Amino acid sequence: MNRPAAPFLEFRDIVKSYGSVTAVDGVSLAIDPGEFVALVGASGSGKSTLLKTVNRLVVPDNGAVMLEGEDVATLTPHALRRRAGYVFQGIGLFPHMTVAENIGIGPRLAGERPGRERIAELLELVELDAEMGGRMPDALSGGQRQRVGVARALAGEPHLLLMDEPFGALDPITRDSLGERIARLHERLGLTTVMVTHDMAEALLLASRVLVMDSGRIVADETPQALLEGAGGTIAQDLVAVPREQARRLAGLTA
Ligand code: ADP
Ligand code: MG
């Protein structure tokens, strides 16, 4: 008899407190390969803390995170960086390094030297010209910088892409086109993606599964379709109501 395959990513009863604040309060869930998961919730609900337990930027007080069947606590920082690409909240590029140096920082920390061709390939993945590798980050637009952040996260050829509010600082049009680019990359590279966002519209449009977080707990775990049909409970539906109401008012303008 075949043993059922382990989930791609699994949170087992994760708890993390800061003093009297319980940022993550007992989260258990499993994510299958190929899922595009959005983690949505109000500011301070624990999204970033939960995401960072995967790559051990946060070490939980209790519980374990399993990645492809292995406890992340047993992986070296190098192995973890390879397996889980991470796009920081905000931009997070080193301002004194070129774009190419920023993209190659993970491999360089591991003692490798990504060549010019590899950097060009990574730039091409995020639809930037190879010429941009020689620029400094402040010579790029916000959207271009964020694409460099994604190229950097993909440099180690990870199976898992973690993104923390990747579009937070961008204007709505750049945000939309970057969102679609990410969704295409997710498909093309066969990634499993976990994206933190406070924007329910973005989650509904991009993800295949939406987790809603409130006060350190997952209070809804639904497909976008199910959420739009009213599932997930009050907190989830209050978040869905925001873009729905906007759409209604916009439709009213043309009626
Ligand atoms: P979100 O990403 O949903 O906005 P966070 O995970 O950043 O939420 O934070 C959850 C809670 O934990 C908040 O109350 C926040 O103030 C607190 N918190 C997060 N990181 C730290 C930290 N390094 N030190 C103290 N408190 C923290
Ligand atoms: Mg956050």
Side-chain angles (χ1 to χ4, degrees):
M1 217 174 76
N2 287 335
R3 241 172 1 126
F8 179 80
L9 176 65
E10 188 182 7
F11 296 88
R12 293 185 179 164
D13 197 22
I14 301 294
V15 177
K16 176 66 186 179
S17 299
Y18 295 103
S20 61
V21 175
T22 306
V24 178
D25 191 9
V27 168
S28 295
L29 64 100
I31 293 173
D32 287 329
E35 286 196 277
F36 193 132
V37 177
L39 185 56
V40 192
S43 180
S45 57
K47 306 180 297 294
S48 295
T49 304
L50 182 63
L51 192 76
K52 288 178 190 165
T53 62
V54 178
N55 59 6
R56 278 169 58 203
L57 292 179
V58 166
V59 175
D61 303 327
N62 182 65
V65 180
M66 310 296 291
L67 176 56
E68 294 173 291
E70 287 181 90
D71 186 336
V72 297
T74 67
L75 299 176
T76 64
H78 170 219
L80 206 45
R81 218 172 14 244
R82 272 257 134 110
R83 288 164 65 167
Y86 180 62
V87 180
F88 292 77
Q89 184 160 8
I91 302 249
L93 298 182
F94 296 106
H96 56 287
M97 291 184 189
T98 64
V99 164
E101 285 166 346
N102 266 284
I103 291 175
I105 185 107
R108 274 209 310 287
L109 287 172
E112 293 159 28
R113 288 198 150 268
R116 202 178 272 269
E117 275 167 36
R118 176 65 182 144
I119 299 291
E121 197 176 281
L122 286 160
L123 282 166
E124 201 213 314
L125 267 184
V126 294
E127 299 168 59
L128 291 175
D129 285 343
E131 166 270 318
M132 295 218 176
R135 293 204 206 168
M136 300 307 278
D138 68 3
L140 303 181
S141 71
Q144 290 168 338
R145 272 195 289 247
Q146 202 51 310
R147 280 190 260 163
V148 173
V150 174
R152 177 174 62 185
L154 296 174
E157 296 183 56
H159 297 166
L160 175 64
L161 181 60
L162 306 170
M163 296 189 287
D164 196 345
E165 309 259 8
F167 318 128
L170 305 173
D171 66 84
I173 292 177
T174 307
R175 219 181 148 101
D176 253 23
S177 70
L178 188 53
E180 279 163 25
R181 280 199 172 93
I182 298 279
R184 284 201 300 270
L185 264 182
H186 166 89
E187 289 298 328
R188 190 172 138 203
L189 301 179
L191 297 171
T192 305
T193 299
V194 183
M195 175 183 77
V196 166
T197 174
H198 60 263
D199 185 339
M200 182 55 99
E202 193 164 271
L204 292 169
L205 288 169
L206 293 179
S208 56
R209 177 178 177 189
V210 180
L211 303 172
V212 179
M213 209 164 171
D214 182 62
S215 303
R217 293 168 186 265
I218 303 293
V219 296
D221 179 356
E222 301 287 349
T223 63
Q225 184 68 28
L227 282 173
L228 289 168
E229 287 167 3
T234 316
I235 293 166
Q237 285 304 314
D238 285 351
L239 293 170
V240 173
V242 178
R244 180 176 280 139
E245 176 63 12
Q246 279 182 333
R248 201 185 59 77
R249 278 156 52 197
L250 285 171
L253 291 178
T254 59

